[in-house]
Amino acid sequence: MHLELWEDFLDAMAPGGLQSEYNAALKDCDIFVLLAFNKVGKYTAEEFGQAFGQFAEAQKPFIFTYFKPPTTQSRDDLKSLWAFEDKLKELKHYKTEYRTIEGLREHFSNQLDKLAANGFLKLSPVDPSAQAEAPAAATTATVTKTYNIGKIDQARFE
């Protein structure tokens, strides 16, 4: 499994700006995960738009939207969340809420299991020796084929 994070992109100037590089990476993603907390910023909304446009054309990437209940008192930030939620409703897609990073991990892991059951992912048992070496990666299965996953700003949500 290959995870695309904006933090891993080269910080050098790019033709069209760095956001164009992030948007281009979305075209090769199989799974797109959007995490929202206190607001949905301009670039987050743009990346979602790119992922949804790709989905409308090719039925991929699978798009997952996870929202942590906001703690902000900023009316502008809340308006951005509400506007984005309204957009999702128009698309007949509804957000999934999470309260803790552990709950998010469990839910998303279950979603990956469902994708595997439908033949999208092929999972194999985890090697117990690998769990001892990398406890953070200790799950019930590992992906045996590479899939690109676009993800936005995970560090802000832990």
Side-chain angles (χ1 to χ4, degrees):
M1 185 175 299
H2 176 73
L3 183 61
E4 292 283 356
L5 296 170
W6 69 266
E7 295 93 341
D8 295 336
F9 281 74
L10 188 61
D11 289 337
M13 290 190 74
L18 286 175
Q19 187 63 43
S20 67
E21 297 290 314
Y22 309 148
N23 292 346
L26 290 172
K27 291 183 179 173
D28 294 326
C29 288
D30 296 298
I31 298 172
F32 175 83
V33 179
L34 182 141
L35 303 176
F37 181 30
N38 281 324
K39 69 178 183 176
V40 175
K42 169 179 147 180
Y43 298 112
T44 300
E46 182 178 329
E47 290 165 359
F48 174 83
Q50 290 289 322
F52 185 78
Q54 182 69 24
F55 173 78
E57 285 181 24
Q59 274 54 73
K60 78 170 211 165
F62 286 95
I63 297 174
F64 295 88
T65 58
Y66 292 100
F67 288 69
K68 187 173 184 179
T71 58
T72 187
Q73 299 297 314
S74 166
R75 294 176 63 81
D76 288 336
D77 288 351
L78 289 171
K79 285 179 187 176
S80 74
L81 277 172
W82 297 332
F84 192 78
E85 289 174 12
D86 289 345
K87 180 177 185 154
L88 291 179
K89 287 177 186 173
E90 287 174 21
L91 298 172
K92 299 183 177 156
H93 177 80
Y94 305 101
K95 67 180 186 177
T96 301
E97 288 195 2
Y98 72 97
R99 299 208 177 274
T100 65
I101 199 68
E102 293 79 17
L104 172 63
R105 284 184 183 131
E106 180 179 352
H107 186 273
F108 188 63
S109 177
N110 290 338
Q111 293 296 296
L112 291 175
D113 287 344
K114 289 177 182 180
L115 287 174
N118 289 324
F120 178 72
L121 297 174
K122 182 178 178 189
L123 302 176
S124 63
V126 171
D127 178 357
S129 64
Q131 285 184 1
E133 294 172 16
T139 60
T140 58
T142 57
V143 176
T144 58
K145 181 179 176 193
T146 300
Y147 295 93
N148 284 328
I149 300 177
K151 189 171 185 179
I152 299 174
D153 298 339
Q154 174 187 2
R156 293 186 191 172
F157 303 95
E158 295 187 302

